């Protein structure tokens, strides 16, 4: 691993993450997603503003950004796949959460909240047991409470705990546990406003429309 390899990997994955999917879909439909609802550049805000079909499309593309970044990272660093996975995953989520493209558009370093892009990396990097457990918890909470933010926070929190436990028992490389912890930390930071709204009873439920 060398600086001449790591820097391009981080830069490419960051730029993949910076693609402002929600903004582009919003403009296609005549709205500025930064000025609608929560102002967040993510699938949930698009769903509330434009409906489930467009929200699902944004979620799929943003998840695809996470998958694409990891696959490219593996091509760039084929001799150290674990490091490539971890660096590519974290860089693409940072790019999505703090997008340089959004900075150029709005003058502010901003982005989405990272759930879909993080989920894309999750698909390629966590064991089936962890993936299944987090998906079951996410689905149960979303159906039971209709709070997308709560479902996301709980699922990633569980994932970080499970990955840490697997690393402590030497069942996975410890770098994957660090990935899960840092990724979950970013998800929680980006959902700080949702956490405050949940605690205050002001959080919007899944499916509620905004204008």
């Amino acid at each position: 691993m060398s600086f001449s390899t790591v820097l391009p990997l981080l830069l490419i994955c960051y730029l993949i993450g910076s693609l402002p999917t929600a903004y582009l879909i919003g403009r296609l439909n005549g709205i500025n997603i930064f000025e609608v609802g929560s102002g967040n550049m993510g699938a949930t805000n698009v769903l509330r503003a434009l409906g489930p079909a467009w929200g699902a499309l944004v979620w799929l593309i943003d998840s695809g950004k996470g998958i694409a970044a990891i696959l490219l990272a593996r091509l760039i660093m084929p001799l150290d796949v674990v490091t490539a996975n971890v660096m590519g995953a974290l860089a693409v989520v940072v790019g999505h959460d703090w997008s340089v493209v959004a900075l150029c558009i709005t003058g502010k370093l901003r982005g989405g909240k990272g759930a879909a892009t993080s989920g894309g990396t999750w698909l390629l990097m966590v064991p089936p047991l962890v993936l299944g457990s987090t998906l079951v918890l996410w689905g149960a909470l979303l159906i039971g409470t209709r709070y997308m933010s709560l479902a996301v926070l709980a699922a990633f929190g569980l994932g970080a705990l499970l990955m840490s436990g697997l690393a402590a028992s030497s069942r996975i490389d410890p770098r994957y546990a660090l990935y899960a912890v840092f990724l979950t930390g970013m998800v929680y930071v980006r959902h700080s406003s949702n956490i405050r709204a949940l605690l205050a009873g002001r959080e919007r439920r899944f499916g509620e429309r905004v204008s």
Side-chain angles (χ1 to χ4, degrees), residues 142-162:
L142 183 59
I143 292 171
T145 69
R146 290 180 53 223
Y147 287 127
M148 174 64 82
S149 57
L150 178 62
V152 166
L153 292 166
F156 277 102
L158 175 63
L161 289 174
L162 292 176

Side-chain angles (χ1 to χ4, degrees), residues 74-144:
R74 291 174 181 176
L75 290 175
I76 294 171
M77 293 180 60
L79 301 180
D80 192 351
V81 173
V82 175
T83 299
N85 284 341
V86 171
M87 294 179 68
L90 294 178
V92 73
V93 175
V94 169
H96 177 78
D97 290 354
W98 296 280
S99 167
V100 68
V101 180
L103 172 63
C104 295
I105 295 169
T106 69
K108 296 180 181 178
L109 191 61
R110 59 196 299 181
K113 296 186 177 179
T117 303
S118 297
T121 71
W122 214 248
L123 291 173
L124 296 183
M125 292 180 61
V126 305
L129 173 63
V130 176
L131 181 61
S133 299
T134 54
L135 285 175
V136 167
L137 180 60
W138 174 79
L141 284 175
L142 183 59
I143 292 171

